[in-house]
Amino acid sequence: MRALLHASLALLTLASLPAAAAGPKSKSKGVYSLKAGGLSGFAIARHLDKAVEIDAQSRALEAQRSAIGARYATVDSITPGSPYVAGSQRNAAAGNLRQYNESEAEAGMPIWLPGQRDALAQTVATGLLEVEERIVLRRLEVAQALRDAWWRAHRAEREAAIARNRVETARDIGGDMARRVELGEAAAQDALLAQNETLAAETELSQAEAAAKTARMAYGVLTGGAKPEGALEPAARAGDIDDHPALRAPLASLARAESQARLVQATLIDNPEVGVFARQEHNYQYATGAGQPFQDQRTDATTLGFRFKIPLPTAGRNEPRIAEAEAELVRAKAEYDRAVRLVTGEIAIARTALAAARRSEALAAKRLGVATDQFDVARKAFKLGEIGSFDLYRVRQLLLDAQRVQASAAIDVGVAQSRLNQALGYAPLP
């Protein structure tokens, strides 16, 4: 019995806990990320891609990236706005100009201010960088949800395994108890006690299996049907903290705010407009010449011209824009400083929690060994009539408690390792 318990728990531990790190370290988007090609033995590389693919926020960020990239069409244009065409037609309604007619056509466009196009191009580039970094950060957030769901499923599976072991042991003891009652070596009350323990174990097993099934289904919803099987992930190796996705995203936001402030400074007035126009006008008037009789004469004129419009800067226009740009800079800088503090603190906390979980697991394993020996001795003593059924079940309960604590401690080590990986910013790229 002792050997069976140790073997089953060892197999469960090997199946649930992450193995040692393997594979090359990626240089893209942070040194914490391992390429998925070197993680074929771990579930996180495959399941994270599926989870990100169906994640609504990830898809929204992808669409936002396309929308920001479309602004390059403005940067590449010869004009910051839309060209225009205009025209007018005028006719005299009264006065001494008879049948006066004026027709005018104009074409023009706004023009770039000095440095405005380069500043706009920089805002588009930094905007794209910010969205790309937020896509990577969102991948890390999805990885956290995946890790939490994985360990919930494995904790439920471990509890179901312990419940199954309890049922098997209860049935074994119940069979021995029934034979002892038939031989007159035990009272009928002992058989009822064994029956009650078996029913309690079967009830617990039913509940534990339902919880395990529910947890596996929840994981499948997150990953598009993938099952939480095998090992989740290796132990990530720490790298340069500046490459952490949680720091790269606010840093990119700060760069975008700086480029936006430069664009505001380069656009202190609305874009000037230039245009060319052509005008044709004619009318009839009475005229007389020397020695000529009174006559009706037509006059015509065709005019070509150039028109421009230059807005003037005003405090009412510029000061709010400058203040908003400066406020965005302050906010982005504060967000980055806050992210540095949080990431540094989370890494330290996660490392401390992992060390504590490993110590607890070692103690729980020792306790399980003692409880298993104690239960083996109690089984022998019960068969020899040295102890009663109540004492046997009390020792059996101590063994069950030790099994649960050891199983929970083993899962806690896996959870702590995953949280350290999360704190380090580890989310393998495809």
Side-chain angles (χ1 to χ4, degrees):
M1 177 65 69
R2 177 182 178 184
L4 177 62
L5 287 172
H6 279 300
S8 61
L9 290 171
L11 288 174
L12 285 170
T13 301
L14 289 173
S16 299
L17 296 181
K25 199 159 47 172
S26 169
K27 298 296 184 183
S28 174
K29 299 300 182 185
V31 297
Y32 300 95
S33 299
L34 297 179
K35 283 290 187 180
L39 300 170
S40 58
F42 298 98
I44 191 169
R46 305 183 305 273
H47 296 178
L48 183 55
D49 289 342
K50 295 179 181 179
V52 170
E53 184 179 353
I54 62 177
D55 178 59
Q57 292 189 34
S58 297
R59 295 174 67 179
L61 287 171
E62 292 286 352
Q64 185 179 357
R65 177 169 59 182
S66 299
I68 293 177
R71 296 178 61 193
Y72 274 121
T74 302
V75 175
D76 295 335
S77 175
I78 62 173
T79 173
S82 297
Y84 66 89
V85 292
S88 64
Q89 173 68 37
R90 292 192 296 174
N91 294 289
N96 61 359
L97 295 178
R98 295 182 298 109
Q99 300 182 22
Y100 177 80
N101 182 286
E102 178 185 300
S103 301
E104 181 175 304
E106 180 179 352
M109 65 180 183
I111 59 174
W112 292 101
L113 292 168
Q116 183 186 20
R117 180 185 290 195
D118 291 340
L120 179 60
Q122 195 168 16
T123 62
V124 177
T126 54
L128 281 175
L129 177 61
E130 180 184 14
V131 174
E132 288 171 356
E133 295 298 345
R134 293 200 177 278
I135 289 174
V136 176
L137 179 59
R138 179 57 189 170
R139 184 179 180 87
L140 182 61
E141 294 170 352
V142 173
Q144 180 176 5
L146 185 146
R147 289 178 170 116
D148 293 342
W150 173 280
W151 289 114
R152 281 195 297 268
H154 277 252
R155 191 182 296 276
E157 287 286 352
R158 184 66 65 87
E159 292 173 355
I162 294 174
R164 281 190 289 271
N165 181 267
R166 179 186 178 187
V167 169
E168 293 174 1
T169 306
R171 289 172 178 172
D172 187 22
I173 296 176
D176 290 344
M177 199 76 70
R179 286 191 295 271
R180 290 172 62 86
V181 171
E182 291 178 358
L183 295 175
E185 298 177 358
Q189 182 179 0
D190 292 338
L192 292 175
L193 180 61
Q195 185 178 3
N196 183 42
E197 166 62 16
T198 301
L199 291 173
E202 291 174 346
T203 301
E204 181 185 3
L205 176 59
S206 177
Q207 295 172 345
E209 287 180 340
K213 183 178 180 180
T214 301
R216 288 173 65 87
M217 291 176 64
Y219 185 85
V221 170
L222 180 65
T223 59
K227 299 179 181 179
E229 297 175 350
L232 176 61
E233 59 186 331
R237 298 187 295 270
D240 187 359
I241 194 172
D242 290 335
D243 284 330
H244 196 292
L247 298 184
R248 293 174 66 95
L251 192 61
S253 179
L254 178 59
R256 193 261 310 152
E258 291 173 345
S259 64
Q260 183 64 34
R262 286 191 289 270
L263 178 60
V264 170
Q265 291 294 333
T267 318
L268 294 179
I269 61 173
D270 293 334
N271 292 96
E273 295 181 0
V274 295
V276 294
F277 66 91
R279 179 185 301 155
Q280 198 283 328
E281 54 186 336
H282 66 268
N283 68 284
Y284 289 89
Q285 63 184 15
Y286 298 110
T288 59
Q292 294 181 348
F294 182 83
Q295 62 181 353
D296 196 11
Q297 182 179 349
R298 173 186 169 98
T299 62
D300 291 275
T302 300
T303 306
L304 297 177
F306 172 80
R307 183 178 286 118
F308 65 90
K309 181 174 70 174
I310 300 178
L312 299 178
T314 63
R317 176 192 181 278
N318 292 327
E319 288 187 6
R321 288 176 167 83
I322 295 174
E324 289 175 3
E326 292 176 348
E328 180 64 14
L329 271 173
V330 173
R331 184 203 63 78
K333 182 63 169 60
E335 286 289 339
Y336 176 73
D337 294 340
R338 174 179 176 273
V340 172
R341 294 193 301 270
L342 288 178
V343 168
T344 304
E346 287 173 358
I347 292 174
I349 292 171
R351 283 177 174 157
T352 302
L354 178 59
R358 286 172 174 166
R359 290 194 297 268
S360 297
E361 183 193 25
L363 293 173
K366 291 181 180 179
R367 178 187 174 187
L368 178 60
V370 172
T372 302
D373 292 340
Q374 186 179 9
F375 180 67
D376 290 341
V377 172
R379 285 292 300 269
K380 294 176 182 178
F382 177 75
K383 290 181 180 179
L384 294 174
E386 297 176 355
I387 62 173
S389 58
F390 282 99
D391 292 330
L392 175 63
Y393 280 116
R394 183 168 57 84
V395 175
R396 168 60 179 158
Q397 186 60 45
L398 292 175
L399 176 60
L400 286 174
D401 292 341
Q403 288 176 346
R404 292 189 179 98
V405 170
Q406 191 278 336
S408 179
I411 293 295
D412 288 343
V413 171
V415 171
Q417 181 62 67
S418 288
R419 287 178 178 171
L420 177 57
N421 287 357
Q422 181 72 23
L424 292 174
Y426 168 62
L429 298 173

